[in-house]
Amino acid sequence: MAAQRGQRNGVGGDTPPAPTAAEITTPIPRVAEVPAARERARAIPEAAVARLAVYLRVLSAMQEQGAVTVSSEELAAAAGVNSAKLRKDLSYIGSYGTRGVGYEVTVLIEEIERILGLTRKHSVAVVGIGNLGHALANYGGFPGRGFPVSALFDVDPDLVGVPVGGIAVHHIDDIPAVCAEREVSIGVIATPPPAAQAVCDRLVEAGVQCILNFAPVVLQVPDHVEVRKVDLAVELQVLSFHVARRADDAAAMEGRQVNGMVVS
């Protein structure tokens, strides 16, 4: 079931009659419209969204160092992309910079934060307080970026009631009530694979619509729930591919040199 992403107001037929005097003096109720910023956000490709988050991190570091403006070339180099791609990404949010000056760092940060929804209040719940869950609960970088961890859950009776990172751990049976009470908007699953789907179901039951999944399983969720998967093993396998490819390239190069072939 695909969620509707907005409606257009249109009127067909003949030209309407001129308004009466009463209609002119009576305030006309405004039709609720989706803000232009959110309309732009819907048109941004997912890959560009990920890069916007990188730009925001880089810009925040520049702001801390006292930077007032930044050129597209400087920002692109710091973010590891080419300047043409960066300008295209920023055009999605309606920011084009000023020729000869570049972008105002503070303004660009505000624009990206607004598009990424960081001006809204977020509350994070972590389920599974093992080694990874402990690390996530104690990570000080989340609150500073607008993602305070406000609820922790586990099934281990030795953990339930124990504070981790200043927050008491609840049993997973309490997920619906606690998440509703603390207005949790993002759930983080750091459980063993067999428990991930059941935890996901409880988070969805609690009204959580965005889930970050560290368990190496594919979660089944309703269409209105967004899931991002972080599989560290897959990322290591991708890196292994690049290591192997470079080793093969180096071996091939050595073979050409041994056989007296000219290497360009």
Side-chain angles (χ1 to χ4, degrees), residues 31-207:
V31 178
E33 297 177 353
V34 178
R38 301 319 305 165
E39 287 287 4
R40 289 200 301 269
R42 292 190 176 97
I44 303 177
E46 188 167 339
V49 173
R51 290 192 295 270
L52 287 174
V54 175
Y55 304 153
L56 179 59
R57 183 189 67 211
V58 173
L59 287 164
S60 297
M62 290 180 171
Q63 186 182 52
E64 290 176 358
Q65 295 171 2
V68 177
T69 61
V70 61
S71 69
S72 58
E73 290 77 13
E74 290 171 333
L75 181 54
V81 301
N82 64 63
S83 57
K85 179 175 291 185
L86 178 135
R87 286 192 291 268
K88 176 64 174 177
D89 291 340
L90 296 184
S91 72
Y92 286 121
I93 66 174
S95 183
Y96 298 93
T98 303
R99 183 177 296 276
V101 177
Y103 300 89
E104 291 186 38
V105 172
T106 299
V107 172
L108 192 51
I109 286 175
E110 291 174 352
E111 291 176 345
I112 295 176
E113 286 181 339
R114 184 162 50 250
I115 286 294
L116 295 181
L118 298 179
T119 55
R120 302 181 179 184
K121 177 184 177 182
H122 291 288
S123 183
V124 178
V126 178
V127 187
I129 313 302
N131 292 333
L132 176 59
H134 264 89
L136 294 172
N138 284 290
Y139 177 54
F142 289 149
R145 296 190 178 184
F147 300 96
V149 175
S150 61
L152 305 175
F153 302 95
D154 204 284
V155 293
D156 187 345
D158 292 334
L159 283 174
V160 174
V162 176
V164 176
I167 302 172
V169 178
H170 286 79
H171 193 275
I172 62 170
D173 289 343
D174 298 330
I175 286 178
V178 174
C179 285
E181 175 191 345
R182 301 183 185 179
E183 299 180 337
V184 170
S185 55
I186 299 175
V188 179
I189 298 178
T191 67
Q197 184 62 57
V199 166
C200 176
D201 293 342
R202 294 187 186 217
L203 289 170
V204 172
E205 177 188 351

